[in-house]
Amino acid sequence: MKKVGFVGLGIMGTGMAGQLLQKGFEVTVWNRDKTKAGPLVEQGARLAASPAELAAEVEVVLSMLRDDAVVREVLLGAEGLIAAARPGTYFVDMSTVTPAMARELAAAAKAKGCPFLDAPVLGSKGAAASGGLSILVGGEATDLEAVREVLAAMGQTITHVGPNGTSAVLKLANNQVGAVVLAALGESLALCETSELTMSREAVLDILVGTAGRVSSMKKPKIAERNWETEFALELMHKDLTQTLQAANELNVPMPVLASAREVFQRARHDGKGQLDFSAIADLSEA
Ligand code: NAP
């Protein structure tokens, strides 16, 4: 498969389309703001006048757009990509969208006779520009094999995670961990900087980031095996979270992420888990 269409030349899409060009694919691009296509056109990409024109002339259409609403407009609209595609054209939407959107896209593409994969990515601007993304793929494994070479131009790892929509679940689940960790880190940094600590911001961050980064990998084996043999009791972590709130109160520092996390620990204590290892806090599913 050599003729690739790429729609959505934002921070991520520009790097990804650039990688496809570097690796010898014939790339046709489209973006709402046409000026962003300039550097790619200089590297050999063709600029399509519309999504429909692009879809009609390539073997696989990749999209990297902002959100559900944009994906709906550009892929599902009457003048959109799917309506204009020939049956047999592969679609790979790499935007971060909801699982429901991914399933809706898959159904629309398949109704047109077009295989569809949802394939959001892990990694940011640097990884996109260097072909180092991790690509999570939902859909038929055989469809992934058909486009694997194209995805390999952009991704260092390609993981088939399940049927259409499941990659979105994993991608969103992954992002929320990163988002909540950073929000919690910000609260702790504010607490330290409001106190009379004399360390530099960088030195405080070294300690906080070291812990934030280590705790999940340290506790991962216990969580995977549901082994709650106590190394640090949940009860004691609850005590520390409560004490942190007291310190925050003294220093007049708002810590809403901490406050809600403490309630999660309170719930676990209420459910009789106080003497278990605190990693048991990560055991919420029924599975
Ligand atoms: P971005 O730079 O804001 O690019 C968004 C893209 O969507 C642009 O091509 C933009 O076109 C297009 N778009 C927005 N509104 C549109 C509309 N109404 N009609 C047509 N096109 C429209 O975002 P990004 O960082 O590249 O992210 C793209 C996707 O990847 C998002 O779903 C994001 O969550 C996900 N993601 C981002 C990162 C990251 O680190 N940045 C990492 C992993 C995943 P214009 O250029 O015309 O505005």
Side-chain angles (χ1 to χ4, degrees):
M1 225 171 267
K2 278 286 159 209
K3 288 183 159 192
V4 179
F6 202 105
V7 173
L9 304 175
I11 291 174
M12 296 296 285
T14 298
M16 293 158 76
Q19 282 298 302
L20 288 163
L21 282 168
Q22 277 188 27
K23 287 164 187 160
F25 291 93
E26 276 176 48
V27 183
T28 303
V29 296
W30 180 84
N31 195 58
R32 177 181 61 172
D33 173 356
K34 306 281 175 289
T35 62
K36 291 191 187 165
L40 291 164
V41 169
E42 276 172 26
Q43 292 166 55
R46 198 183 95 65
L47 175 62
S50 66
E53 184 185 297
L54 176 144
E57 67 180 45
V58 297
E59 294 160 285
V60 52
V61 178
L62 308 174
S63 42
M64 191 56 167
L65 297 161
R66 182 185 160 80
D67 56 16
D68 279 23
V70 176
V71 161
R72 180 180 296 286
E73 187 183 326
V74 176
L75 276 93
L76 294 180
E79 309 278 304
L81 290 164
I82 292 176
R86 286 170 284 115
T89 305
Y90 282 78
F91 279 86
V92 185
D93 181 46
M94 307 185 79
S95 324
T96 302
V97 295
T98 59
M101 188 73 239
R103 289 193 301 268
E104 190 178 336
L105 292 172
K110 286 174 188 176
K112 191 79 203 282
C114 296
F116 179 89
L117 297 167
D118 36 279
V121 303
L122 309 182
S124 194
K125 184 180 178 181
S130 62
L133 295 168
S134 293
I135 306 178
L136 309 173
V137 184
E140 300 288 338
T142 47
D143 292 337
L144 168 56
E145 288 320 308
V147 298
R148 183 177 284 278
E149 193 195 353
V150 176
L151 298 188
M154 300 172 287
Q156 201 164 29
T157 65
I158 299 169
T159 309
H160 184 240
V161 305
N164 286 125
T166 50
S167 71
V169 174
L170 184 55
K171 166 67 187 169
L172 295 173
N174 181 73
N175 266 25
Q176 84 90 16
V177 176
V180 173
V181 165
L182 282 199
L185 185 71
E187 288 186 1
S188 284
L189 188 59
L191 183 69
C192 293
E193 289 186 328
T194 309
S195 77
E196 289 171 2
L197 267 178
T198 53
M199 296 160 78
S200 69
R201 185 175 173 88
E202 173 129 22
V204 172
L205 274 171
D206 279 344
I207 290 181
L208 297 178
V209 170
T211 305
R214 261 206 324 271
V215 72
S216 339
S217 45
M218 243 166 53
K219 294 295 184 185
K220 181 184 136 192
K222 290 176 79 64
I223 298 166
E225 291 158 21
R226 289 197 160 91
N227 164 15
W228 313 130
E229 190 190 329
T230 307
E231 292 169 7
F232 180 22
L234 192 146
E235 180 74 33
L236 286 183
M237 185 58 103
H238 173 270
K239 180 261 299 177
D240 288 354
L241 298 182
T242 306
Q243 291 181 160
T244 319
L245 280 175
Q246 286 166 349
N249 187 45
E250 246 174 60
L251 292 167
N252 194 16
V253 176
M255 299 188 79
V257 176
L258 164 64
S260 62
R262 196 197 75 121
E263 289 310 302
V264 179
F265 278 77
Q266 178 81 313
R267 173 86 242 168
R269 279 172 85 220
H270 173 84
D271 293 344
K273 297 182 179 173
Q275 297 311 315
L276 304 183
D277 189 72
F278 86 93
S279 53
I281 204 66
D283 192 40
L284 295 175
S285 73
E286 303 285 311

